[in-house]
Amino acid sequence: MPASADLSVLLSQPALLKLLSELRGAASAAQPERELVGLLARLTGGGAEIRASWGAVVASAGEAAGSAQTFRLQQGRRHVGRLTLWVAPEWAALGPLAAEYALLSRLQSAAAGSARRRVGERTLSALLSGEAHLGDEAFVVALADLGTGATGRGARAQAAQAYALDVLAEVGEGYLLGSGLNGLATVWQGRALWWWPSEHPVQEGASLFAALRESVGGVRLGVSERHRGEGLAAALDEARQALGAVGSSGVQVFQNLDPLTPLLRTEAAAQLRAQLRARLATLQDAGKVETTLRLYLTHTGPLTALAGAQHIHVNTLRYRLKRAEDALGASLTDPATLARLYLAFGVE
C-alpha cells in the first residue's frame, strides 16, 4: 500500500479489512515486532519502533523524524513495552490501532519466550538435581525477589506472588537473551533464578538489575561469583548470601559483599547498639559526643582534620572522645572496644 494513501480512503470497508489482515499477519509472524514496525513504516511513510519493558529496542523501521506518538503497551497491570510512531498528521488516528497490534506482538513473543524458558527450566532442574553437568564455561547465578515485605497467606495472594515471580523471571530471561548472554531462567524456592555464561559479573549484574527495575519496579537481586564445572551449588549459596545483604531494593554481587554486612543487621547488633547508646545518653549533651564518636570511627588521618570537618577545636574533639571513654568504661585505643563500636554504629 503506497505511503501517500489517505487514511479516509483506507478506512473504507475493503481497505479496512485489508489493513486489519496485514496487521494481524504481522503480529502472528515468526518475528512479530519486526514485521509490524516494517509494515507500519511502509504503510505511513514514517517510522516505527517497539521497545521492551526495560527500554531496549526490540525492532525499528523507517525514519524517526518529526513529532512522535508514544503508546505504553500494557496487559492489565503488566508493562510489556512501548510503541513509538513518527507519522504525518493524517496518519495519527492509526496510532491506537497500531498499539493494540504492538501489544499483541509483544505478547506473542512473550509466549514464545515462555515456551523456550520451559526448556531452560528443565535444564536448570536437571543441573540443580545433579542429573546434568556443566562444562568448563564460566557462569554466574542470580536470585531475585520483589522485596522484603511479607506475602499474604491466602490463595489469591499466593497466586499473585507466583505470577509476579514468573513475570520477573521472564523479564530477566528476555533481557539476557537480548543482550546476547543466552541464559536460563526459572522460579526456584520462591525466587526468580537466572544462570548465564559470564565474563564480568559486576557489570552484568548491574545491567540485569537496571532492566528488572525498569520493568517491574522494586526488586532485590543477588549475584554470585564466576564458577566453572561443578560449582553450581556454591554459586547458588553465594547468590543467596548476596541477596540477603540487599535492603528493600538493590543489587549485590558476591565478590563485592562485605562479610560483616549480614552480621551488622542481626538482633545481637541491634542490642549492642541500644546498650552503647544508653551509656552515651547519660552524658546528656544532646548527642554531641555520639556524633563525634561516629565520625571518629570512619575517620582516617590526623585529629585536626576531623576537628576541622566538625568546625570545632581539636581540644574540644579530644574532650568529647575522653567523655565517650568515660561513659563507655573503655579506651578507644582498645581493639575490642573499637570492634564493638563498629558493630554498633558502623553501618549507620
Side-chain angles (χ1 to χ4, degrees):
M1 193 171 296
S4 59
D6 188 90
L7 186 59
S8 61
V9 176
L10 181 65
L11 293 180
S12 63
Q13 183 83 8
L16 177 59
L17 292 175
K18 185 174 187 299
L19 170 64
L20 293 175
S21 177
E22 290 177 338
L23 290 171
R24 185 173 61 251
S28 59
Q31 295 180 312
E33 295 99 340
R34 184 179 300 180
E35 290 294 327
L36 182 62
V37 296
L39 171 64
L40 292 171
R42 292 192 305 273
L43 184 67
T44 64
E49 176 187 87
I50 295 177
R51 290 179 177 263
S53 58
W54 57 90
V57 176
V58 176
S60 63
E63 184 178 359
S67 60
Q69 286 181 288
T70 299
F71 302 89
R72 180 182 173 91
L73 308 178
Q74 191 158 327
Q75 182 190 37
R77 291 185 297 176
R78 180 182 172 191
H79 177 208
V80 299
R82 186 169 68 249
L83 169 69
T84 303
L85 295 174
W86 293 269
V87 296
E90 61 267 24
W91 289 98
L94 181 61
L97 179 62
E100 292 298 318
Y101 281 92
L103 172 61
L104 181 60
S105 297
R106 290 298 294 146
L107 295 177
Q108 180 87 354
S109 292
S114 294
R116 181 179 59 249
R117 184 154 56 87
R118 298 298 175 241
V119 176
E121 286 178 344
R122 289 193 291 271
T123 302
L124 273 175
S125 295
L127 291 171
L128 292 169
S129 65
E131 298 174 3
H133 300 281
L134 294 164
D136 292 330
E137 188 173 28
F139 66 89
V140 297
V141 168
L143 291 172
D145 61 26
L146 295 168
T148 56
T151 304
R153 296 183 179 181
R156 183 173 298 178
Q158 294 291 330
Q161 176 74 359
Y163 174 75
L165 285 173
D166 194 62
V167 170
L168 187 64
E170 177 186 308
V171 169
E173 193 261 356
Y175 167 76
L176 292 173
L177 182 66
S179 300
L181 294 175
N182 297 320
L184 305 175
T186 189
V187 174
W188 181 73
Q189 296 186 357
R191 291 165 176 157
L193 182 153
W194 300 275
W195 171 100
W196 71 86
S198 175
E199 291 291 335
H200 306 288
V202 174
Q203 296 92 317
E204 293 159 5
S207 297
L208 174 60
F209 173 71
L212 296 174
R213 182 179 57 186
E214 178 70 23
S215 184
V216 301
V219 63
R220 306 189 316 153
L221 178 68
V223 184
S224 74
E225 284 261 29
R226 294 173 77 221
H227 288 267
R228 295 180 185 272
E230 304 303 312
L232 183 61
L236 277 169
D237 188 54
E238 290 175 0
R240 190 183 298 110
Q241 291 183 56
L243 181 63
V246 179
S248 60
S249 179
V251 57
Q252 178 67 63
V253 180
F254 185 80
Q255 71 184 60
N256 293 339
L257 178 63
D258 180 354
L260 280 175
T261 300
L263 178 62
L264 294 170
R265 292 188 174 135
T266 64
E267 183 178 349
Q271 292 172 351
L272 176 61
R273 188 177 305 120
Q275 182 189 67
L276 295 179
R277 278 178 171 163
R279 292 182 182 179
L280 293 171
T282 63
L283 298 173
Q284 297 183 341
D285 66 341
K288 291 179 181 179
V289 168
E290 181 178 335
T291 299
T292 295
L293 185 58
R294 289 171 178 273
L295 293 171
Y296 174 77
L297 288 173
T298 59
H299 177 70
T300 57
L303 290 181
T304 51
L306 179 57
Q310 296 183 74
H311 306 292
I312 59 176
H313 193 277
V314 68
N315 288 338
T316 303
L317 174 64
R318 291 193 179 101
Y319 172 71
R320 289 183 182 178
L321 294 177
K322 180 63 170 64
R323 293 197 74 195
E325 289 180 326
D326 292 342
L328 297 172
S331 171
L332 294 179
T333 61
D334 182 0
T337 300
L338 291 174
R340 289 187 179 93
L341 288 169
Y342 179 76
L343 288 173
F345 300 133
V347 294
E348 293 191 336

